[in-house]
């Protein structure tokens, strides 16, 4: 990984191709949907639009890995009590295809 590349971890480039490969193996029902990077996806996750109603988020660094499980556990419990809509976690992926972290599919807001 080049130290200035926020889309990579070690030798893994986080791009639409990686997302497609992970989906093909773990969630084939979504593997053929269009994938496009979100221009301003933030520092902790690389975010991709998946079709018209989904998104995929992949942690960029080890320190953000715990966020995946926390969001899957807490967002469904907290959502009914919040005054605004929050992203709904739909599936949690596991490391694969050289990508070392768990990752998530969410409903797009």
């Amino acid at each position: 990984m080049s130290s200035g590349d926020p889309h990579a971890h070690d030798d893994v480039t986080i791009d639409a191709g990686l997302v497609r490969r992970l989906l093909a193996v773990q969630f084939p029902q979504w593997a053929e949907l269009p994938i496009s990077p979100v221009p301003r996806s933030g520092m902790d996750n690389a975010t991709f639009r998946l079709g018209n109603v989904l998104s995929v988020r992949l942690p960029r660094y080890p320190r953000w890995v715990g966020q995946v499980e926390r969001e899957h556990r807490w967002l469904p419990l907290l959502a009914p009590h919040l005054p605004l809509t929050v992203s709904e976690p739909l599936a949690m992926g596991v490391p694969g295809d050289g990508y070392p972290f768990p990752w998530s599919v969410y409903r797009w807001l």
Side-chain angles (χ1 to χ4, degrees), residues 6-31:
H7 297 285
H9 174 76
D10 294 332
D11 294 324
V12 178
T13 298
I14 301 174
D15 60 14
L18 173 65
V19 174
R20 177 128 2 252
R21 292 188 304 273
L22 290 169
L23 288 168
V25 171
Q26 298 182 39
F27 305 110
Q29 69 272 27
W30 296 318

Side-chain angles (χ1 to χ4, degrees), residues 1-107:
M1 166 171 93
S2 70
S3 60
D5 184 354
H7 297 285
H9 174 76
D10 294 332
D11 294 324
V12 178
T13 298
I14 301 174
D15 60 14
L18 173 65
V19 174
R20 177 128 2 252
R21 292 188 304 273
L22 290 169
L23 288 168
V25 171
Q26 298 182 39
F27 305 110
Q29 69 272 27
W30 296 318
E32 297 303 317
L33 293 173
I35 298 169
S36 58
V38 174
R40 303 180 88 195
S41 63
M43 292 298 297
D44 53 348
N45 292 288
T47 304
F48 294 83
R49 189 82 187 258
L50 180 60
N52 292 324
V53 297
L54 303 174
S55 65
V56 176
R57 290 184 26 200
L58 299 96
R60 295 178 195 232
Y61 306 107
R63 68 179 176 263
W64 300 114
V65 169
Q67 178 180 345
V68 173
E69 186 177 319
R70 284 189 297 275
E71 287 180 352
H72 278 263
R73 182 181 326 127
W74 290 105
L75 285 178
L77 296 172
L78 295 173
H81 306 286
L82 298 174
L84 59 133
T85 304
V86 295
S87 196
E88 177 186 355
L90 300 175
M92 187 182 334
V94 296
D97 203 67
Y99 180 72
F101 307 130
W103 52 281
S104 295
V105 178
Y106 294 87
R107 185 149 329 275

